[in-house]
Short mmCIF file of all heavy atoms in Angstrom, two decimals:
data_model
loop_
_atom_site.label_atom_id
_atom_site.label_comp_id
_atom_site.label_asym_id
_atom_site.label_seq_id
_atom_site.Cartn_x
_atom_site.Cartn_y
_atom_site.Cartn_z
N HIS A 102 13.21 13.99 36.65
CA HIS A 102 12.06 13.73 35.77
C HIS A 102 12.59 13.20 34.44
O HIS A 102 13.47 13.80 33.84
CB HIS A 102 11.27 15.00 35.51
CG HIS A 102 10.96 15.80 36.74
ND1 HIS A 102 9.82 15.63 37.49
CD2 HIS A 102 11.67 16.79 37.35
CE1 HIS A 102 9.82 16.49 38.50
NE2 HIS A 102 10.93 17.20 38.44
N ALA A 103 12.02 12.11 33.96
CA ALA A 103 12.32 11.59 32.63
C ALA A 103 11.09 11.82 31.75
O ALA A 103 9.99 11.38 32.09
CB ALA A 103 12.64 10.09 32.70
N VAL A 104 11.28 12.52 30.64
CA VAL A 104 10.16 12.88 29.77
C VAL A 104 10.23 12.02 28.51
O VAL A 104 11.21 12.10 27.75
CB VAL A 104 10.21 14.38 29.40
CG1 VAL A 104 9.05 14.74 28.47
CG2 VAL A 104 10.17 15.23 30.66
N GLU A 105 9.21 11.20 28.30
CA GLU A 105 9.22 10.25 27.19
C GLU A 105 7.79 9.77 26.93
O GLU A 105 6.99 9.65 27.86
CB GLU A 105 10.14 9.07 27.53
CG GLU A 105 10.28 8.01 26.47
CD GLU A 105 10.79 8.57 25.15
OE1 GLU A 105 11.96 8.96 25.05
OE2 GLU A 105 9.97 8.61 24.20
N ILE A 106 7.46 9.50 25.66
CA ILE A 106 6.11 9.04 25.32
C ILE A 106 5.93 7.55 25.56
O ILE A 106 4.80 7.08 25.70
CB ILE A 106 5.76 9.38 23.87
CG1 ILE A 106 6.68 8.63 22.89
CG2 ILE A 106 5.79 10.87 23.63
CD1 ILE A 106 6.17 8.65 21.47
N ALA A 107 7.02 6.78 25.58
CA ALA A 107 6.92 5.33 25.77
C ALA A 107 6.56 5.02 27.23
O ALA A 107 6.62 5.89 28.11
CB ALA A 107 8.26 4.67 25.41
N GLU A 108 6.20 3.77 27.48
CA GLU A 108 5.86 3.34 28.83
C GLU A 108 7.09 3.35 29.73
O GLU A 108 8.21 3.12 29.28
CB GLU A 108 5.25 1.94 28.81
CG GLU A 108 3.91 1.85 28.09
CD GLU A 108 2.83 2.64 28.80
OE1 GLU A 108 2.81 2.64 30.04
OE2 GLU A 108 2.01 3.28 28.10
N ARG A 109 6.86 3.58 31.01
CA ARG A 109 7.95 3.58 31.99
C ARG A 109 8.59 2.20 32.07
O ARG A 109 7.88 1.18 32.21
CB ARG A 109 7.40 3.97 33.36
CG ARG A 109 8.43 3.97 34.47
CD ARG A 109 7.81 4.12 35.85
NE ARG A 109 8.85 4.09 36.87
CZ ARG A 109 9.41 5.17 37.41
NH1 ARG A 109 8.98 6.36 37.06
NH2 ARG A 109 10.38 5.06 38.30
N PRO A 110 9.92 2.11 31.99
CA PRO A 110 10.58 0.81 32.17
C PRO A 110 10.36 0.27 33.57
O PRO A 110 10.43 1.00 34.56
CB PRO A 110 12.07 1.15 31.92
CG PRO A 110 12.07 2.44 31.17
CD PRO A 110 10.87 3.18 31.66
N ALA A 111 10.11 -1.01 33.67
CA ALA A 111 9.77 -1.62 34.95
C ALA A 111 10.90 -1.50 35.97
O ALA A 111 10.64 -1.34 37.17
CB ALA A 111 9.41 -3.09 34.73
N ALA A 112 12.16 -1.57 35.52
CA ALA A 112 13.28 -1.59 36.45
C ALA A 112 13.84 -0.21 36.77
O ALA A 112 14.85 -0.10 37.48
CB ALA A 112 14.39 -2.47 35.88
N LEU A 113 13.22 0.85 36.28
CA LEU A 113 13.76 2.20 36.49
C LEU A 113 13.71 2.59 37.97
O LEU A 113 12.74 2.27 38.67
CB LEU A 113 12.97 3.21 35.67
CG LEU A 113 13.53 4.63 35.60
CD1 LEU A 113 14.85 4.65 34.85
CD2 LEU A 113 12.53 5.57 34.93
N ASP A 114 14.76 3.28 38.42
CA ASP A 114 14.83 3.76 39.81
C ASP A 114 13.53 4.46 40.20
O ASP A 114 13.05 5.35 39.49
CB ASP A 114 16.02 4.72 39.93
CG ASP A 114 16.38 5.05 41.37
OD1 ASP A 114 15.47 5.47 42.12
OD2 ASP A 114 17.56 4.95 41.74
N HIS A 115 12.97 4.07 41.35
CA HIS A 115 11.68 4.62 41.78
C HIS A 115 11.73 6.12 42.04
O HIS A 115 10.69 6.79 42.08
CB HIS A 115 11.19 3.89 43.04
CG HIS A 115 11.99 4.23 44.26
ND1 HIS A 115 13.19 3.61 44.58
CD2 HIS A 115 11.76 5.14 45.25
CE1 HIS A 115 13.66 4.12 45.71
NE2 HIS A 115 12.83 5.05 46.13
N ARG A 116 12.94 6.66 42.23
CA ARG A 116 13.07 8.09 42.51
C ARG A 116 12.89 8.94 41.26
O ARG A 116 12.77 10.17 41.35
CB ARG A 116 14.44 8.39 43.13
CG ARG A 116 14.65 7.77 44.50
CD ARG A 116 16.09 7.97 44.96
NE ARG A 116 17.02 7.20 44.13
CZ ARG A 116 18.35 7.26 44.24
NH1 ARG A 116 18.89 8.09 45.12
NH2 ARG A 116 19.12 6.52 43.45
N ILE A 117 12.88 8.32 40.08
CA ILE A 117 12.74 9.05 38.82
C ILE A 117 11.26 9.11 38.44
O ILE A 117 10.59 8.09 38.32
CB ILE A 117 13.55 8.38 37.71
CG1 ILE A 117 15.04 8.38 38.07
CG2 ILE A 117 13.31 9.08 36.37
CD1 ILE A 117 15.90 7.57 37.11
N GLU A 118 10.75 10.32 38.26
CA GLU A 118 9.36 10.52 37.85
C GLU A 118 9.28 10.43 36.33
O GLU A 118 10.05 11.08 35.62
CB GLU A 118 8.86 11.88 38.34
CG GLU A 118 7.38 12.11 38.11
CD GLU A 118 6.88 13.41 38.71
OE1 GLU A 118 7.70 14.16 39.28
OE2 GLU A 118 5.67 13.68 38.61
N TRP A 119 8.34 9.65 35.83
CA TRP A 119 8.19 9.39 34.39
C TRP A 119 7.01 10.20 33.86
O TRP A 119 5.89 10.05 34.34
CB TRP A 119 7.97 7.91 34.16
CG TRP A 119 8.13 7.46 32.74
CD1 TRP A 119 7.14 7.25 31.82
CD2 TRP A 119 9.35 7.14 32.08
NE1 TRP A 119 7.67 6.83 30.62
CE2 TRP A 119 9.03 6.74 30.75
CE3 TRP A 119 10.69 7.14 32.46
CZ2 TRP A 119 9.98 6.37 29.82
CZ3 TRP A 119 11.65 6.77 31.54
CH2 TRP A 119 11.30 6.38 30.23
N LEU A 120 7.26 11.09 32.90
CA LEU A 120 6.25 12.03 32.43
C LEU A 120 6.19 12.04 30.90
O LEU A 120 7.19 11.77 30.22
CB LEU A 120 6.56 13.45 32.92
CG LEU A 120 6.66 13.66 34.43
CD1 LEU A 120 7.22 15.05 34.71
CD2 LEU A 120 5.31 13.47 35.08
N ALA A 121 5.02 12.41 30.38
CA ALA A 121 4.88 12.57 28.93
C ALA A 121 5.22 13.99 28.49
O ALA A 121 5.51 14.23 27.32
CB ALA A 121 3.45 12.23 28.50
N GLU A 122 5.20 14.95 29.41
CA GLU A 122 5.53 16.35 29.12
C GLU A 122 6.44 16.87 30.24
O GLU A 122 6.36 16.39 31.38
CB GLU A 122 4.25 17.21 29.08
CG GLU A 122 3.26 16.81 28.00
CD GLU A 122 3.72 17.19 26.60
OE1 GLU A 122 4.63 18.06 26.50
OE2 GLU A 122 3.19 16.63 25.63
N PRO A 123 7.30 17.85 29.94
CA PRO A 123 8.16 18.37 31.00
C PRO A 123 7.35 19.06 32.08
O PRO A 123 6.34 19.70 31.79
CB PRO A 123 9.07 19.37 30.26
CG PRO A 123 8.35 19.71 29.00
CD PRO A 123 7.56 18.50 28.63
N PRO A 124 7.76 18.93 33.34
CA PRO A 124 7.05 19.60 34.43
C PRO A 124 7.24 21.11 34.32
O PRO A 124 8.22 21.59 33.76
CB PRO A 124 7.73 19.04 35.68
CG PRO A 124 9.11 18.69 35.22
CD PRO A 124 8.96 18.22 33.80
N LYS A 125 6.30 21.85 34.86
CA LYS A 125 6.36 23.30 34.80
C LYS A 125 7.04 23.87 36.05
O LYS A 125 6.89 23.35 37.15
CB LYS A 125 4.95 23.89 34.69
CG LYS A 125 4.17 23.41 33.47
CD LYS A 125 4.85 23.79 32.17
CE LYS A 125 4.03 23.35 30.96
NZ LYS A 125 4.74 23.62 29.69
N GLY A 126 7.79 24.95 35.84
CA GLY A 126 8.34 25.72 36.95
C GLY A 126 9.47 25.08 37.70
O GLY A 126 9.64 25.31 38.90
N ILE A 127 10.32 24.29 37.02
CA ILE A 127 11.43 23.66 37.74
C ILE A 127 12.54 24.68 38.02
O ILE A 127 12.70 25.68 37.31
CB ILE A 127 12.02 22.46 36.98
CG1 ILE A 127 12.86 22.91 35.77
CG2 ILE A 127 10.97 21.47 36.58
CD1 ILE A 127 14.00 22.01 35.47
N THR A 128 13.27 24.41 39.06
CA THR A 128 14.50 25.13 39.38
C THR A 128 15.63 24.13 39.27
O THR A 128 15.72 23.18 40.07
CB THR A 128 14.43 25.71 40.80
OG1 THR A 128 13.38 26.67 40.87
CG2 THR A 128 15.75 26.39 41.18
N GLY A 129 16.48 24.30 38.25
CA GLY A 129 17.53 23.33 38.04
C GLY A 129 17.96 23.26 36.59
O GLY A 129 18.15 24.29 35.93
N LEU A 130 18.08 22.05 36.06
CA LEU A 130 18.64 21.80 34.73
C LEU A 130 17.68 20.98 33.89
O LEU A 130 17.24 19.90 34.32
CB LEU A 130 19.98 21.06 34.86
CG LEU A 130 20.66 20.56 33.58
CD1 LEU A 130 21.05 21.71 32.66
CD2 LEU A 130 21.89 19.72 33.93
N LEU A 131 17.35 21.48 32.71
CA LEU A 131 16.64 20.70 31.70
C LEU A 131 17.66 20.32 30.63
O LEU A 131 18.35 21.18 30.10
CB LEU A 131 15.50 21.50 31.09
CG LEU A 131 14.66 20.80 30.01
CD1 LEU A 131 13.19 21.20 30.11
CD2 LEU A 131 15.18 21.13 28.60
N PHE A 132 17.76 19.02 30.33
CA PHE A 132 18.78 18.54 29.41
C PHE A 132 18.12 17.72 28.31
O PHE A 132 17.43 16.73 28.58
CB PHE A 132 19.80 17.67 30.16
CG PHE A 132 21.12 17.50 29.46
CD1 PHE A 132 22.14 18.42 29.64
CD2 PHE A 132 21.33 16.44 28.61
CE1 PHE A 132 23.36 18.28 28.99
CE2 PHE A 132 22.54 16.29 27.95
CZ PHE A 132 23.56 17.21 28.15
#
Side-chain angles (χ1 to χ4, degrees):
H102 312 270
V104 179
E105 181 57 70
I106 64 165
E108 295 295 321
R109 178 190 179 96
L113 189 66
D114 192 308
H115 71 277
R116 295 173 293 175
I117 298 172
E118 187 175 2
W119 194 262
L120 301 170
E122 299 287 341
K125 302 298 183 185
I127 74 148
T128 296
L130 173 63
L131 180 144
F132 200 87

